Amino acid sequence: MGSYVPSTKEERREMLEAIGLKDYRELYQDVPAEMYLDKPLDLPEGMSELEVSRAMNAMAGKNRVFSTVLRGAGAYDHYIPSIVKYIPAKEEFLTAYTPYQAEMSQGVLQSIFEYQTMICELTGMAVSNASVYDGATAAAEAAAMCRDRKRRVTLISAAAHPDTINTVRTYCYGTNDELRIVPAKDGKTDLDALKEMLTADVASFYVQQPNFYGQFEDCTAIGEMVHAAGAQYIMGCNPIALAIMKTPAECGADIAVGEGQPLGMPISFGGPYLGFMAATAKMMRKLPGRIVGETVDAKGDRAYVLSLQAREQHIRREKASSNICSNQALCALTAGVYMSAMGPKGMAEAANQSMAKAHYLAKGLCAIEGVSLKYEGAFFHEFVAVMPKTEEVLAALADADILGGLPVEDGILWCATEKVSREELDKTIAIVKEVLGK
Amino acid sequence: MKLIFEKSVPGRGTTMLGKCDVEAVALPAELCRQEAPALPEISETDLSRHYTELCQKVHGVNCGFYPLGSCTMKYNPRIDEEIAALPGFTAVHPLAPKETVSGCYEALDTAKKYLCEVTGMDDMTFQPAAGAHGEFTGVLLIKQYHESRGESHRNKIIVPDSAHGTNPATAAMCGYEIVNIPSAPNGCVDIEALKAVLGSDTAGLMLTNPNTVGIFDENILEITRLVHEAGGQCYYDGANLNAVMGAVRPGDMGFDCIHMNLHKTFATPHGGGGPGAGAVGCKEHLARFLPSSALMDGDGHLQVRSFAGNFLVVIKALTYVMTLGAEGIREASANAVLNANYLMRKIQGTFEPAFDRICMHEFVLDLSEFKKRTGVSALDVAKSLIDHGMHPPTMYFPLIVHEALMLEPTETESRETLDWAAEIFRKLYALAETDPEYMHNAPHNAAIARPDEVRAARTPILRYTK
């Protein structure tokens, strides 16, 4: 049995004696006899470190690690610099608690302050929080921020990620508020439908940029439409794209959110990820979750603290705007290290290369007979290619150690990042050509 | 210490990516941002040193004693980190064909099986990313349950006044009205107060047991029975599971659904405030309402986060449970309780415990009399501990104790550490009489002196500006 309890049998006996007890059962004197477990749980025997390592390695070994990943759809396989893995692994950062004691946690607080600044720079917005669980919950929290007494309906684009839509739907269900989905047309939000649906009871509209199909939405026009109807505008953005793309601030967004996973987190079967949330100065006090602020200490030196805590659950309890108690601190640290390691030029490079490689792939695939782009609009690093025999195509790619795009209606949603080489793309195109040529 | 932006020099940087090996594609002009983001431009040397400098101003449980009540700061095993870093877990896509990720599904199913056994539940989800997120999920299960039975008129959730702030906040997020009930003098649920508020509009009760003052409520079966009789459901806040795992199960106490904090009880690291995982377990009658992912599992269910949740955190918790096994689980909780009682006894004669009796895995000190006498507050004591290299205990929680300090040593501390900790408390108790001023201005040897939090809130500076 593996154990992290330092005390020996002898020490335990002495400690029980020191508190005047004979056995452990006496410590549980308040537990009614009928529920006190007098036999061990039905769990296997514990293991030594060597044994558990063997068992978990075997489990990991049952998962296929493809050398080329061309599937995105909310989890993006970008290159993660080595330093981005090592810094968050430092035990101080890794095993610290929430920085409630500022004097003992300036390292965590400052790293979050730096992260908040970087998110503001990326999104162009005035203020960022310390992060929330992921992009989907960020969207849901943003929608909640916009609701007031008069306006309670949330609108969301059908071209957003299905998990985002479903999460927002769940949060709306929680507070008994209505969610209406604005249909998509030609792979983008149907602007005519949106206009009609922007009624006086609408609190906000959420659009994803680029959207689930990889398409760029007309975010400035949408922003104007939403504001003209008196509603608030939420944009959910890809953070790598933001290195080069028009910012939510430039598009007039009130709140900018997104999935921060591409900022140095591995795809890891879906988590842990990172939800970033940034807003206009006006919306500052409505932001949920932790926020770090700058101040001075008793000696007049610069210091960082958790701030604006009057918004939060431990103060306001049932009047809090959200129950969120934590952030994703280590992931926010990871994102901060990534953005610093890459810098503005490196991030622009990652964005441009992802876009270039996706277009190269699209071009090569569409040169094959029977393959065409489903949507004609400009795209970032994802696109839907219409093609027959999608199952065979993906199987043939898997045989070549390539995880192809996500099968969707009519075809496949492909994704390419800066990590994929021209050689791998050529190989992919060749295999697809071969399968479809048969 | 400088901010990373203050160390930034235009033109500095690293070369992480190579040249693009395909033709460049320009983003249409109308889609381009006007100015590049002002992210740091810094060499790898300076980047590395910056974070080392920051690191020296952080205290983790693997670095020193961290008796934060209610947070279960136990040692975070390194093997759990190593396993969670295996490419077989980190390099797999959540939407990969199921047959190529059978190891992931095995991990989730095994974790579910083991944790259901620990808690006495029938089914479980790992989608919630944190404890509060798990609470939200659990209360949604209750909401869906009542709806499915045509009982949506049940609009009240009962919460004891000793509850963590997330409990009422969660209930509000689920559209419920919160009914606060006062605690009995011993910190437990006041049965009469509970009976007075139960009715046909009761949706449920949210409870932690042992409670937030570290006492096991011996009336728990009656409490859950009363709620069930009134037609409500019982939700267990698993924050204090470390006191009882292997000794008693929430399922046997009468709870219908629970959340666990994998980052507390199951030793996954806190990371400075996440990522954690708030696994939610439930009895059979609630299982069909458990959340899932629209993309991974299809439509029609609740969903609280994208994909399957904080998968790597579950891997760490699973590795831990497999290491401990049945015996180790029991040993952990039993010694968590022993350590807490031992420490409480060692401090005896100085700070007053709020409840002078056997505690569970944590105990609360009541410094209100002490403050009246010496002028030194719980805050002053906490800040003074920092100078001794100890992370302060939880302050001013739960609300039912005044000038509270809540200590939870956990089972991974040795007797010497506990003796040392007790000695520090004794020293400070004496210091309050001889030099209270020193304590009012503590800490004296930390990275900063006490920060001006009022100023921070009044004049928010939430980002660096050049």
Side-chain angles (χ1 to χ4, degrees):
Chain A
M1 170 190 87
S3 171
Y4 299 103
V5 184
S7 54
T8 60
K9 256 204 184 102
E10 184 60 26
E11 285 177 308
R12 293 173 199 183
R13 201 188 47 77
E14 288 169 7
M15 287 168 76
L16 277 167
E17 229 175 84
I19 58 180
L21 298 180
K22 285 206 180 57
D23 59 42
Y24 284 100
R25 182 65 180 95
E26 289 185 75
L27 289 168
Y28 289 85
Q29 51 192 230
D30 290 335
V31 178
E34 64 251 60
M35 64 177 71
Y36 186 81
L37 295 172
D38 49 16
K39 56 179 171 67
L41 293 167
D42 184 13
L43 289 179
E45 234 178 79
M47 297 185 191
S48 65
E49 189 174 300
L50 174 57
E51 291 165 317
V52 82
S53 175
R54 212 178 268 148
M56 292 305 289
N57 266 279
M59 213 181 283
K62 293 181 184 168
N63 293 330
R64 184 116 183 247
V65 177
F66 291 95
S67 46
T68 305
V69 176
L70 296 171
R71 191 166 292 195
Y76 300 99
D77 186 31
H78 287 278
Y79 177 68
I80 301 173
S82 196
I83 197 168
V84 175
K85 293 183 203 127
Y86 277 97
I87 287 172
K90 289 180 191 271
E91 273 192 303
E92 294 86 345
F93 288 131
L94 183 69
T95 69
Y97 189 65
T98 304
Y100 285 127
Q101 297 291 350
E103 300 88 338
M104 249 186 151
S105 15
Q106 286 299 291
V108 174
L109 289 163
Q110 183 175 327
S111 73
I112 296 176
F113 186 79
E114 292 174 353
Y115 158 84
Q116 284 170 191
T117 305
M118 294 183 212
I119 293 295
C120 287
E121 281 297 319
L122 211 54
T123 59
M125 307 300 282
V127 58
S128 160
N129 71 8
S131 74
V132 295
Y133 312 132
D134 75 339
T137 52
E141 294 278 4
M145 280 169 72
C146 297
R147 280 183 220 123
D148 61 25
R149 232 161 307 183
K150 282 193 289 191
R151 292 172 177 265
R152 302 217 51 95
V153 175
T154 301
L155 294 186
I156 189 166
S157 167
H161 194 286
D163 278 13
T164 301
I165 297 174
N166 210 24
T167 301
V168 176
R169 178 185 288 127
T170 299
Y171 276 67
C172 287
Y173 166 73
T175 52
N176 304 314
D177 287 307
E178 204 185 327
L179 177 71
R180 294 180 195 149
I181 300 177
V182 180
K185 190 167 107 178
D186 299 328
K188 293 202 277 213
T189 307
D190 181 341
L191 297 184
D192 295 321
L194 174 61
K195 203 168 193 171
E196 262 189 56
M197 292 173 75
L198 280 164
T199 45
D201 54 354
V202 170
S204 67
F205 172 64
Y206 173 91
V207 71
Q208 186 181 310
Q209 177 75 319
N211 68 25
F212 179 69
Y213 306 108
Q215 296 278 293
F216 282 113
E217 300 263 3
D218 191 348
C219 282
T220 310
I222 290 174
E224 284 163 2
M225 222 183 265
V226 172
H227 287 143
Q232 302 205 283
Y233 185 32
I234 308 170
M235 276 179 69
C237 301
N238 178 304
I240 300 287
L242 279 175
I244 58 175
M245 180 174 84
K246 196 166 183 189
T247 66
E250 288 170 317
C251 297
D254 297 290
I255 309 173
V257 300
E259 177 51 67
Q261 174 270 323
L263 299 172
M265 280 139 268
I267 49 183
S268 41
F269 201 64
Y273 285 179
L274 176 72
F276 63 86
M277 292 188 79
T280 55
K282 200 165 139 212
M283 299 287 271
M284 178 178 68
R285 281 169 205 279
K286 294 216 166 113
L287 276 171
R290 308 234 167 86
I291 302 184
V292 173
E294 184 182 301
T295 183
V296 291
D297 75 352
K299 295 195 199 123
D301 294 326
R302 184 168 67 183
Y304 299 96
V305 287
L306 288 178
S307 194
L308 302 181
Q309 292 188 76
R311 299 160 298 122
E312 295 192 71
Q313 48 77 28
H314 54 290
I315 311 277
R316 304 207 74 201
R317 295 174 75 90
E318 61 258 31
K319 293 198 176 65
S321 50
S322 166
N323 76 345
I324 190 167
C325 180
S326 59
N327 57 334
Q328 295 271 117
L330 203 70
C331 299
L333 173 69
T334 303
V337 182
Y338 177 85
M339 287 188 273
S340 303
M342 297 294 278
K345 294 198 180 71
M347 283 197 64
E349 194 59 34
N352 280 310
Q353 287 200 21
S354 296
M355 196 166 64
K357 303 213 183 204
H359 283 75
Y360 180 83
L361 178 63
K363 196 163 166 196
L365 289 174
C366 293
I368 303 169
E369 208 185 307
V371 182
S372 60
L373 282 182
K374 184 160 184 189
Y375 305 117
E376 296 184 355
F379 62 92
F380 179 53
H381 69 348
E382 287 185 283
F383 60 93
V384 180
V386 179
M387 64 178 71
K389 299 201 212 169
T390 53
E391 255 184 69
E392 288 101 310
V393 163
L394 293 171
L397 288 171
D399 285 342
D401 210 19
I402 299 169
L403 178 65
L406 183 73
V408 292
E409 200 188 324
D410 295 346
I412 295 174
L413 173 64
W414 298 91
C415 173
T417 69
E418 78 289 356
K419 200 172 157 187
V420 160
S421 69
R422 183 196 186 102
E423 212 186 310
E424 290 167 277
L425 294 172
D426 286 338
K427 190 165 152 199
T428 302
I429 294 162
I431 292 171
V432 175
K433 186 167 183 182
E434 208 201 310
V435 172
L436 296 184
K438 293 211 185 99
Chain B
M1 184 190 156
K2 286 195 176 149
L3 286 162
I4 197 165
F5 312 99
E6 295 166 325
K7 299 177 181 178
S8 181
V9 175
R12 287 202 184 160
T14 55
T15 41
M16 293 301 176
L17 308 175
K19 270 209 192 82
C20 189
D21 54 7
V22 299
E23 206 184 312
V25 169
L27 193 58
E30 70 273 16
L31 285 170
C32 292
R33 60 185 292 157
Q34 292 305 318
E35 266 179 57
L39 298 174
E41 291 180 82
I42 188 167
S43 70
E44 195 169 321
T45 309
D46 294 325
L47 179 64
S48 179
R49 291 187 182 160
H50 178 77
Y51 282 99
T52 299
E53 219 187 319
L54 284 177
C55 198
Q56 286 159 358
K57 299 180 186 204
V58 183
H59 179 93
V61 66
N62 285 14
C63 314
F65 190 47
Y66 221 120
L68 262 184
S70 171
C71 301
T72 312
M73 299 299 286
K74 63 172 80 177
Y75 173 70
N76 304 140
R78 297 306 290 177
I79 186 65
D80 300 349
E81 298 308 306
E82 190 178 303
I83 299 298
L86 291 172
F89 292 132
T90 61
V92 290
H93 197 286
L95 301 171
K98 289 203 157 98
E99 64 274 12
T100 66
V101 283
S102 63
C104 292
Y105 286 99
E106 186 184 324
L108 291 171
D109 286 339
T110 310
K112 181 198 291 200
K113 192 165 119 198
Y114 291 167
L115 292 175
C116 280
E117 171 63 16
V118 171
T119 55
M121 292 289 126
D122 299 320
D123 208 340
M124 190 165 287
T125 173
F126 294 104
Q127 202 180 62
H133 209 205
E135 288 178 34
F136 176 58
T137 307
V139 178
L140 283 179
L141 296 186
I142 292 175
K143 184 170 180 167
Q144 290 238 289
Y145 173 74
H146 289 308
E147 230 172 68
S148 73
R149 293 159 58 91
E151 303 218 318
S152 300
H153 61 275
R154 292 181 177 275
N155 64 345
K156 297 205 167 64
I157 292 275
I158 302 166
V159 177
D161 60 4
S162 56
H164 193 280
T166 51
N167 287 181
T170 295
M173 272 174 86
C174 296
Y176 285 112
E177 235 179 85
I178 289 82
V179 177
N180 280 300
I181 50 167
S183 304
N186 69 353
C188 293
V189 172
D190 182 332
I191 299 281
E192 294 311 309
L194 175 63
K195 281 184 185 159
V197 298
L198 283 170
S200 58
D201 57 357
T202 302
L205 167 75
M206 294 175 82
L207 199 64
T208 311
N209 193 28
N211 61 25
T212 53
V213 294
I215 294 174
F216 190 93
D217 197 325
E218 59 189 348
N219 296 317
I220 189 62
L221 279 178
E222 202 198 335
I223 292 165
T224 53
R225 183 184 60 82
L226 285 167
V227 176
H228 286 141
E229 262 169 29
Q233 294 281 283
C234 298
Y235 174 85
Y236 181 81
D237 179 328
N240 291 334
L241 188 63
N242 203 47
V244 293
M245 57 177 185
V248 62
R249 314 191 307 172
D252 299 336
M253 293 184 213
F255 288 96
D256 302 288
C257 56
I258 71 164
H259 91 267
M260 283 169 280
N261 302 63
L262 299 191
H263 46 289
K264 294 186 182 185
T265 320
F266 300 96
T268 73
H270 281 79
V280 166
C282 67
K283 289 276 169 85
E284 190 57 53
H285 63 279
L286 297 176
R288 70 189 196 275
F289 305 118
L290 285 171
S292 62
S293 153
L295 254 191
M296 289 172 88
D297 314 299
D299 271 317
H301 280 92
L302 295 177
Q303 179 160 5
V304 295
R305 209 222 84 135
S306 59
F307 305 122
N310 284 354
F311 178 71
L312 294 182
V313 177
V314 181
I315 291 294
K316 294 180 192 185
L318 176 61
T319 307
Y320 176 76
V321 173
M322 284 171 67
T323 300
L324 262 53
E327 257 188 78
I329 297 261
R330 186 67 193 96
E331 183 198 48
S333 61
N335 285 288
V337 176
L338 175 59
N339 277 4
N341 280 282
Y342 179 82
L343 181 59
M344 188 171 74
R345 261 310 182 101
K346 275 271 170 168
I347 296 178
Q348 202 166 49
T350 67
F351 299 104
E352 243 183 80
F355 301 94
D356 194 7
R357 40 149 297 150
I358 290 198
C359 63
M360 292 263 87
H361 64 315
E362 62 193 7
F363 60 94
V364 186
L365 298 172
D366 182 336
L367 274 65
S368 42
E369 280 308 309
F370 171 81
K371 182 177 177 191
K372 275 197 200 116
R373 217 180 57 240
T374 64
V376 174
S377 66
L379 180 77
D380 293 329
V381 173
K383 299 300 181 187
S384 303
L385 285 166
I386 294 174
D387 283 329
H388 292 270
M390 190 192 310
H391 191 282
T394 301
M395 310 183 300
Y396 301 103
F397 179 81
L399 302 177
I400 57 171
V401 176
H402 295 263
E403 293 297 317
L405 286 178
M406 192 196 308
L407 285 90
E408 182 185 351
T410 83
E411 71 279 12
T412 57
E413 299 302 333
S414 67
R415 186 170 51 175
E416 311 85 82
T417 306
L418 300 177
D419 289 341
W420 164 82
E423 200 40 49
I424 309 265
F425 274 94
R426 291 185 169 279
K427 272 206 177 87
L428 292 177
Y429 187 78
L431 189 64
E433 310 272 356
T434 59
D435 196 351
E437 202 50 39
Y438 192 78
M439 294 180 74
H440 292 318
N441 297 317
H444 300 274
N445 305 319
I448 56 164
R450 284 198 206 184
D452 188 343
E453 290 182 323
V454 172
R455 172 175 163 154
R458 208 173 277 156
T459 329
I461 303 169
L462 307 175
R463 61 154 292 168
Y464 166 77
T465 312
K466 202 164 171 171

